[in-house]
Amino acid sequence: MLVLKNLSKSYGQVIAVKEIDLTIEKGEFFCLLGPSGCGKTTILRMIAGFERPTGGEIWLNGKNITHLSPNERDVNTVFQNYALFPNYSVLDNIGYGLKVVNMPKAEIDNRVAEAIRLVGLEGFEKRMPANLSGGQQQRVALARALVKRPQILLLDEPLSALDKKISEQTRNELAELQQKVGITFIFVTHNQSEALALANRIGVMKNGLMEQCATPKEIYEKPGSKFVADFIGNMNFFDGTIIGVNQQNTDIDLTGLGEISLSQTGVRQGKSNVLFCLRPERIKLSLLPAAPYENYLKGIVKKKHYLGEHTKFEVEMANGITVNVTALNYMLQQSNEFYDLEEKVFLIWSKTSGELIYV
């Protein structure tokens, strides 16, 4: 539905976006994810028509829209600050764009009523923006964008101004709304949890480049670079050397720690230096090495942080590095093992856990 071909944007000598190639399908919930300044919002603004590309093209349904003005594109945007008219009611804010194009009043009334139902704002039609919560203002902005029935809805960090609880609630509502209306959503965020929860696919960006584009599961479990592995969730990194490969396992010598095995096929021969990546939640603490966990390392608990449903441990290894471990508290209670500071422990995990990144 949307194709970006070699899309680039520079501001003088500063390259904001560099040669992005991307295809987004109809009805997809696509997320551009990355830290501040990586170029994700610049891409969104080029799709919307608010920024002109320095190079490349933007195609929508087979039509080149690269140089069309924003009002000539079948695209609408929900901004980070919602950009509501403070002196207009909810009803008038939502219907404003339809009045501008001189749509008949009966059609405006029908569309606005439908949009209000979609976002769950029945009974708030006469309220002014100042009398709405942040979550309600966001719904008005969504309804105003949806009422024009665009082919693509662009969302620029729409949840960043909300507190954690309201943000999570609104996130769920947003996912349900997208499925209900079937419009293609392109969502920009720096929040990894939002991207993982909402998107069909995620494009992770760094310094104007697309580091990896894949499903949330692939991004989380098969990161394509150290940056992606480190940016999405928490990750432990171990320097290592491949010392053996067969049809079932890859054997790795972790520098200063010992040997482990990984069930990973397709490991490249002749490329022996690697980073072994292991998520904190894939590691189990134990006082003894125990089956069915094939790998284990020894360490000493140095820090312990109770966080309600789980506890985070920092374990110092023999080579001086710190490994993060996340344990569910109900599992700790079942095993009656709580691990005190300075206690010697084993870090154990399965051969199916972890990923290799070549260096």
Side-chain angles (χ1 to χ4, degrees), residues 49-282:
F50 302 133
E51 298 278 0
R52 289 293 175 92
T54 308
E57 297 175 339
I58 304 169
W59 290 74
L60 178 60
N61 280 334
K63 179 182 179 182
N64 189 337
I65 65 169
T66 310
H67 300 294
L68 297 183
S69 62
N71 64 314
E72 294 177 297
R73 306 177 185 215
D74 198 2
V75 172
N76 251 355
T77 306
V78 176
F79 298 98
Q80 187 173 350
N81 63 358
Y82 311 140
L84 301 179
F85 298 116
N87 57 330
Y88 281 21
S89 68
V90 167
L91 202 67
D92 290 335
N93 260 289
I94 295 172
Y96 177 81
L98 302 181
K99 291 178 182 177
V100 168
V101 296
N102 296 315
M103 185 174 285
K105 184 177 184 306
E107 179 67 10
I108 291 175
D109 291 344
N110 288 336
R111 285 205 189 188
V112 170
E114 180 188 22
I116 285 173
R117 283 195 301 273
L118 274 173
V119 299
L121 281 175
E122 297 98 325
F124 291 84
E125 289 87 348
K126 295 182 180 180
R127 293 266 189 102
M128 306 300 283
N131 298 321
L132 299 173
S133 68
Q136 290 165 343
Q137 289 181 33
Q138 197 241 28
R139 292 190 205 179
V140 176
L142 275 170
R144 186 177 62 184
L146 290 169
V147 77
K148 295 186 74 174
R149 298 176 183 171
Q151 293 189 59
I152 296 178
L153 186 62
L154 308 174
L155 301 106
D156 187 10
E157 306 237 22
L159 308 181
S160 62
L162 306 177
D163 64 45
K164 186 175 185 293
K165 186 173 182 179
I166 297 298
S167 176
E168 290 179 356
Q169 177 186 332
T170 308
R171 184 177 71 194
N172 296 336
E173 292 171 352
L174 193 61
E176 292 175 5
L177 179 63
Q178 194 269 339
Q179 291 178 358
K180 194 179 297 182
V181 298
I183 293 173
T184 303
F185 278 24
I186 304 177
F187 185 95
V188 161
T189 184
H190 64 275
N191 186 306
Q192 301 93 328
S193 297
E194 287 178 7
L196 291 170
L198 287 169
N200 303 123
R201 280 191 306 148
I202 299 171
V204 182
M205 295 196 63
K206 175 190 176 186
N207 297 333
L209 295 169
M210 190 74 73
E211 281 277 307
Q212 187 174 0
C213 184
T215 66
K217 183 177 171 60
E218 289 170 327
I219 291 282
Y220 190 81
E221 297 187 1
K222 302 287 182 183
S225 68
K226 183 180 179 182
F227 173 80
V228 174
D230 199 27
F231 190 74
I232 304 292
N234 296 310
M235 185 70 84
N236 294 300
F237 296 100
F238 304 85
D239 291 319
T241 304
I242 296 174
I243 56 176
V245 179
N246 58 41
Q247 291 183 339
Q248 285 79 37
N249 300 317
T250 298
D251 295 325
I252 307 157
D253 179 34
L254 300 184
T255 305
L257 294 175
E259 297 178 11
I260 65 162
S261 291
L262 177 64
S263 297
Q264 181 167 328
T265 58
V267 173
R268 284 180 275 173
Q269 299 290 340
K271 188 86 173 180
S272 59
N273 294 330
V274 293
L275 276 178
F276 174 61
C277 310
L278 186 61
R279 297 283 182 193
E281 68 271 17
R282 299 293 175 86

